[in-house]
Amino acid sequence: MQIKTKAIVISALKYQEKSLIVKCFTLSHGLKTYFVRDAFSNKKTSRSVGTKMAYFQPMTILEIEANHKNKGALEHFKEIKIAAPFQSIHSDIYKSTIVMFISEILHHSIHEEEKNESLFEFLEAALHWLDQHEDMANFHLILMLEMTKYFGFYPDTSDMDMPFFEMNEGVFTPFHAIGSLSEHETNLFKKLIALKFDNNQKVFHVIERQLLIKILIDYYAYHLDGFKRPKSLEVLKEVFS
């Protein structure tokens, strides 16, 4: 089946000397994995994949034509182009570190080959926001929390006046249980829930931000089978320390 769709690059893994295995989150078909032969070739090509490695940087938004056999094997691109080139994401160390971290979160979160148009559109809009703004210290925190809406475990905010957040059930409670955040952690989490991309990004200091990353990663681990702690977390901490 030949398809034409937008796709967000989640990961690109080198295979043998010249090829790549590229995992993409597509608008039309959810998660798909593609084999790119001779990605590191020096051959000059016009419209084919060729040597354009910029296509496969984390979270790049592509327009693709591909042949989908849908047999559980690797798929193949027919044509690709960048949907809307980023101006700063891949050249700014802070932004490129954020998208590396977010791509790894998505890699461990999306496993099904089912389309999720609303998640795709949210990610696309968020990436364009990141590309156009300089004040983005809490971007990854807000994004991780907002993505739980699409994964099905966004916190129940109906009892937000309660002092403790229980991670397993995703609810605020009057009592501290085994899976609950402390009162201090819960207050930080409440501040994050109220935060939007355009709010003052200096609302948390570094230590609070690192605590919130830990809380969010633990929260994902509670609710997503096989979720792993991102390897890029240490890089993120280093860059934003």
Side-chain angles (χ1 to χ4, degrees):
M1 178 175 65
Q2 198 156 314
I3 62 101
K4 197 171 185 177
T5 185
K6 282 186 176 180
I8 297 173
V9 176
I10 303 299
S11 64
L13 180 68
K14 190 174 182 180
Y15 178 75
Q16 295 182 343
E17 285 302 307
K18 296 181 180 178
S19 302
L20 279 177
I21 294 172
V22 180
K23 187 172 286 190
C24 291
F25 179 50
T26 70
L27 177 61
S28 63
H29 289 76
L31 191 69
K32 301 296 282 186
T33 306
Y34 300 90
F35 181 71
V36 182
R37 192 183 304 279
D38 295 330
F40 298 91
S41 162
N42 291 323
K43 226 188 289 179
K44 296 210 184 241
T45 54
S46 54
R47 301 181 67 198
S48 61
V49 174
T51 60
K52 297 177 181 174
M53 292 300 298
Y55 287 147
F56 306 119
Q57 293 186 70
M59 305 304 286
T60 300
I61 304 170
L62 304 173
E63 287 182 8
I64 67 170
E65 286 186 42
N67 296 312
H68 282 183
K69 295 181 179 177
N70 297 316
K71 293 182 179 176
L74 298 176
E75 311 290 7
H76 293 80
F77 295 119
K78 186 181 177 190
E79 288 193 15
I80 58 175
K81 64 180 181 179
I82 292 177
F86 292 135
Q87 303 303 310
S88 64
I89 281 181
H90 295 305
S91 57
D92 181 298
I93 183 64
Y94 297 100
K95 294 181 182 183
S96 61
T97 303
I98 284 174
V99 296
M100 180 172 65
F101 174 75
I102 293 298
S103 69
E104 202 175 348
I105 293 291
L106 289 168
H107 178 77
H108 294 309
S109 302
I110 304 173
H111 304 294
E112 299 296 326
E113 285 194 13
E114 293 178 5
K115 72 175 180 180
N116 188 336
E117 290 184 0
S118 55
L119 174 58
F120 186 98
E121 288 164 359
F122 166 72
L123 289 171
E124 183 179 28
L127 287 166
H128 284 304
W129 185 94
L130 177 64
D131 190 47
Q132 294 159 14
H133 291 79
E134 296 308 311
D135 197 10
M136 40 62 189
N138 300 313
F139 176 87
H140 52 298
L141 302 176
I142 301 168
L143 191 79
M144 278 188 73
L145 181 62
E146 288 294 309
M147 286 194 305
T148 65
K149 291 178 180 176
Y150 306 96
F151 295 143
F153 55 96
Y154 188 75
D156 181 347
T157 58
S158 53
D159 292 314
M160 268 184 72
D161 56 328
M162 297 297 177
F164 302 105
F165 181 69
E166 204 284 311
M167 300 273 269
N168 194 42
E169 297 297 323
V171 297
F172 291 89
T173 65
F175 307 108
H176 189 272
I178 292 174
S180 298
L181 299 179
S182 70
E183 198 162 353
H184 171 62
E185 291 169 336
T186 300
N187 284 333
L188 279 179
F189 197 55
K190 287 178 183 179
K191 281 173 74 173
L192 178 60
I193 288 172
L195 207 59
K196 303 299 176 195
F197 288 136
D198 285 320
N199 291 150
N200 176 15
Q201 295 280 312
K202 295 180 175 65
V203 64
F204 301 120
H205 59 64
V206 173
I207 300 299
E208 291 175 328
R209 203 175 291 122
Q210 291 182 356
L211 180 54
L212 280 165
I213 291 175
K214 180 186 180 303
I215 289 168
L216 286 164
I217 287 172
D218 289 347
Y219 190 47
Y220 270 61
Y222 265 102
H223 294 273
L224 293 175
D225 288 339
F227 183 81
K228 296 177 182 176
R229 185 175 181 269
K231 293 177 182 176
S232 57
L233 179 59
E234 296 309 315
V235 181
L236 187 79
K237 285 182 179 178
E238 186 71 28
V239 168
F240 282 93
S241 62

